[in-house]
Amino acid sequence: MSEQDEKEHLAEFEARIARGEKVEPGDWMPEEYRHNLIRMIGQHAHSEIVGQLPEGKWIPFAPGFRRKLTLIAKVQDEAGHGQLLYRAAETLGATRQEMIEELLAGKAKYSNVFNYPTPTWADVGVIGWLVDTAAVVNQSMLAQGSYGPYARAMRRICYEEAFHIKQGYDAVVALAKGTPEQRAMAQDAVNRWWYPTLMMSGPPDKISEHTERAMRWRIKTKTNDQVRQEFVDLIVPQIRALGLDVPDAECAPDKATGHYQFTRPDWNELKRVVNGDGPCNAERIAARRKAHDDGRWVREALAAKSGQSTKTAPLLA
Ligand code: BYC
């Protein structure tokens, strides 16, 4: 394509986005738009898949039959979200095999938050409540984005995440209203998850590499700092309503702006954790590799039935 044609296509593409139209798989799109979406959607898909592990570990120990059922349903939903997102990335030309191989090789990023341990049952409640609330605030913003398949996947995922928040909140309420030991367990989990959850929205705008372009092309419709502030404004009153503390002495409403002030997380910790050096990165990747190896016979059986090679049979089967 000539430089002139490229310019005209780009102008028309940006005009469509400015009009609020969705970009669909066969449409012309700048290579950087496609690349940035594959990067983000792939990381998001991995987050859903790896995100099953910290909570999934608690399924055998859930306190009671109902809590076990809701936790199983939640963890299964996360697997479904991963599948939807890998599919959305495939519409842009990425292959599932490449994405999964990157994850298993420890080269792919996924949400920082899943590299922290879950030593108590309260962690399950706090992930469902805090982490899923942060995810929904972010994903409601992504649901307004310009790429049709991703935006539509976000709407469906947010619908299910709303249920996840309720299951997490319900578990924390039971602990917060329980014995002093249970209350202390809930507070301890809030203390440990607070800063990792704030980091979920990404590095601050002034150092975020991708935000400016992502906003221009409506891949993101709010910046990392805007999403983080929205989450804090939403969750702080909820935490305090349960008689629990926000582990930040600076956290208070700012009368001038109407928003809560809060201490920023340690961005070096975010960088370390997303680059492989968090408390549980090695354990998470080892668990995914084991699941992949254990599922080999299913892929082989599917490939034999359909006459495909095992490379093209559904990789997460
Ligand atoms: N964790 O320029 P930036 C769930 C990376 S799962 C890891 O701001 P961007 C759930 C970033 O990728 C839902 N990496 O980037 C599941 C980039 O690296 P590369 C999880 C992070 O993309 C199971 C670099 O840092 N949600 O809810 O404009 C159970 C520079 O950052 C993080 C999603 O995946 C991080 N927190 O904005 C329970 C949402 N932050 O690619 C619950 C989809 C930054 O240059 N993703 N990085 O090597 C997004 O919305 C955006 O990618 C982010 C970052 C806001 C995270």
Side-chain angles (χ1 to χ4, degrees):
M1 189 184 293
S2 72
E3 209 174 304
Q4 182 58 25
D5 283 351
E6 180 90 20
K7 266 191 188 158
E8 281 171 18
H9 275 302
L10 181 61
E12 170 54 19
F13 174 82
E14 292 192 337
R16 283 183 65 191
I17 289 184
R19 289 195 296 271
E21 287 175 28
K22 296 287 182 221
V23 177
E24 297 298 339
D27 297 348
W28 185 89
M29 60 186 80
E31 198 46 35
E32 273 189 69
Y33 176 86
R34 196 179 70 81
H35 182 76
N36 209 1
L37 271 166
I38 291 177
R39 178 190 66 79
M40 240 176 85
I41 301 173
Q43 290 175 4
H44 195 161
H46 298 325
S47 303
E48 302 282 355
I49 296 299
V50 178
Q52 297 172 96
L53 298 169
E55 293 168 277
K57 153 187 159 178
W58 276 94
I59 291 172
F61 312 107
F65 182 61
R66 286 198 182 167
R67 295 223 184 268
K68 191 189 286 265
L69 278 183
T70 48
L71 183 57
I72 290 171
K74 179 188 193 292
V75 171
Q76 280 180 343
D77 283 352
E78 309 298 359
H81 298 170
Q83 299 287 354
L84 269 178
L85 289 164
Y86 285 127
R87 187 72 199 100
E90 282 175 324
T91 66
L92 290 154
T95 71
R96 197 170 288 225
Q97 186 189 344
E98 278 162 10
M99 289 184 278
I100 290 169
E101 277 173 2
E102 271 205 3
L103 175 66
L104 298 179
K107 290 186 194 154
K109 288 200 172 83
Y110 54 85
S111 188
N112 67 300
V113 85
F114 303 118
N115 290 310
Y116 291 87
T118 45
T120 75
W121 169 250
D123 293 294
V124 172
V126 169
I127 290 179
W129 175 34
L130 254 59
V131 169
D132 282 79
T133 297
V136 167
V137 170
N138 187 53
Q139 290 168 178
S140 306
M141 166 285 275
L142 295 172
Q144 308 303 316
S146 58
Y147 188 57
Y150 193 30
R152 289 189 287 273
M154 286 298 95
R155 280 211 295 278
R156 171 145 172 212
I157 289 175
C158 281
Y159 188 70
E160 291 183 353
E161 298 287 15
F163 158 76
H164 299 171
I165 294 172
K166 288 198 178 95
Q167 74 86 34
Y169 182 70
D170 188 63
V172 177
V173 169
L175 295 173
K177 287 184 174 167
T179 63
E181 288 79 6
Q182 286 174 316
R183 206 174 170 71
M185 207 163 94
Q187 183 64 58
D188 173 60
V190 170
N191 294 350
R192 284 182 290 103
W193 288 95
W194 178 250
Y195 285 107
T197 307
L198 292 186
M199 292 176 201
M200 260 183 101
S201 330
D205 296 348
K206 60 177 189 297
I207 60 168
S208 161
E209 297 156 43
H210 302 292
T211 294
E212 198 185 324
R213 173 143 308 163
M215 294 288 286
R216 180 147 68 90
W217 286 338
R218 286 185 69 81
I219 290 174
K220 299 204 284 203
T221 58
K222 289 179 187 161
T223 70
N224 298 356
D225 287 335
Q226 286 173 326
V227 169
R228 189 167 13 255
Q229 184 69 56
E230 208 176 302
F231 165 70
V232 170
D233 290 345
L234 191 66
I235 206 77
V236 168
Q238 293 183 25
I239 295 176
R240 292 187 173 153
L242 288 184
L244 298 171
D245 294 325
V246 175
D248 176 5
E250 303 300 314
C251 188
D254 179 336
K255 285 200 183 91
T257 64
H259 295 295
Y260 278 89
Q261 291 173 325
F262 58 96
T263 306
R264 269 41 185 180
D266 174 357
W267 302 119
N268 289 325
E269 177 177 330
L270 174 64
K271 205 169 175 183
R272 271 200 315 277
V273 170
V274 303
N275 284 302
D277 192 18
C280 299
N281 298 60
E283 183 185 331
R284 302 291 181 240
I285 296 302
R288 284 311 314 156
R289 283 196 192 124
K290 180 175 182 316
H292 192 73
D293 289 345
D294 290 350
R296 187 176 311 281
W297 70 271
V298 182
R299 294 192 296 280
E300 284 171 359
L302 281 170
K305 186 163 187 331
S306 63
Q308 291 176 320
S309 89
T310 46
K311 297 228 161 200
T312 50
L315 275 159
L316 280 177

